[in-house]
Amino acid sequence: MIMDFIRNNKFVAGVLAILRIYIGYTWLMGGLGKVTSGGFDASGFIQGAIANSTGEGATVQAWWGTFLETVALPNAGLFSFMVMWGEILVGAALILGIFTNFAALMGITMNFAFLFSGTVSTNAQMVLITVFLIIAGYNAGRYGLDRWVLPFLKNHTHIVKEKAKEKVVVA
């Protein structure tokens, strides 16, 4: 009953649109700030998280520190690029309401990476709101471009049509 309400109610879709735009704006501004500053480099942040993963008062779990040290730090340029443009793309997609579920999933993934690295800030709040967007599914993008894009893709993509035919044959 609650899931049906969250996933199908048009009033809830309006509330979700406001939350979606707020989260999108937060991501977009964060990404634009990094891109326009001209010199965003995640290596300092990564090194700080690695330093906080050892010792008695560690605030970052050791397994995450190991990941950061062996994967993220050697590829800090790639991670810097992915953070900057990931924030912009997630923000724009959420504001426009296009591919909302995928954008929310990528946003929550970035939020968890920041949380794992010891950053609190607004990340926990963003995770909570994003969980509602993901649970709501299509309803989160009902008042956005998903309203037109998803049905268009459903009707015009080969893969979806083939799966629909398979279901008809099986039934």
Side-chain angles (χ1 to χ4, degrees):
M1 183 169 137
I2 294 283
M3 288 301 291
D4 184 58
F5 180 70
I6 292 172
R7 289 180 163 234
N8 296 311
N9 186 283
K10 291 181 181 182
F11 174 76
V12 172
V15 172
L16 290 167
I18 293 167
L19 295 173
R20 186 192 79 228
I21 291 167
Y22 165 72
I23 295 293
Y25 178 80
T26 303
W27 280 120
L28 184 65
M29 291 299 103
L32 285 175
K34 289 174 179 67
V35 168
T36 58
S37 71
F40 174 70
D41 181 13
S43 61
F45 176 79
I46 295 169
Q47 289 171 345
I50 292 168
N52 289 330
S53 68
T54 58
E56 196 171 309
T59 57
V60 175
Q61 293 184 8
W63 67 270
W64 186 252
T66 301
F67 166 77
L68 293 174
E69 189 171 18
T70 58
V71 177
L73 191 57
N75 299 297
L78 174 63
F79 277 81
S80 297
F81 179 85
M82 289 188 335
V83 167
M84 284 188 302
W85 291 103
E87 288 181 1
I88 289 173
L89 292 172
V90 165
L94 289 175
I95 289 169
L96 296 173
I98 187 165
F99 306 121
T100 302
N101 288 342
F102 181 71
L105 182 63
M106 294 301 100
I108 206 168
T109 301
M110 284 191 292
N111 277 132
F112 277 122
F114 300 149
L115 287 168
F116 287 158
S117 299
T119 300
V120 178
S121 185
T122 61
N123 295 106
Q125 171 190 334
M126 291 174 71
V127 165
L128 181 62
I129 293 171
T130 305
V131 164
F132 284 106
L133 297 178
I134 292 170
I135 289 171
Y138 170 78
N139 209 28
R142 178 185 302 263
Y143 298 127
L145 293 178
D146 279 347
R147 183 179 201 157
W148 296 282
V149 172
L150 295 182
F152 176 83
L153 291 176
K154 183 177 180 182
N155 293 327
H156 291 86
T157 58
H158 176 71
I159 296 169
V160 173
K161 287 182 181 178
E162 290 299 319
K163 286 187 179 183
K165 286 180 186 175
E166 289 173 14
K167 287 181 182 177
V168 170
V169 172
V170 172

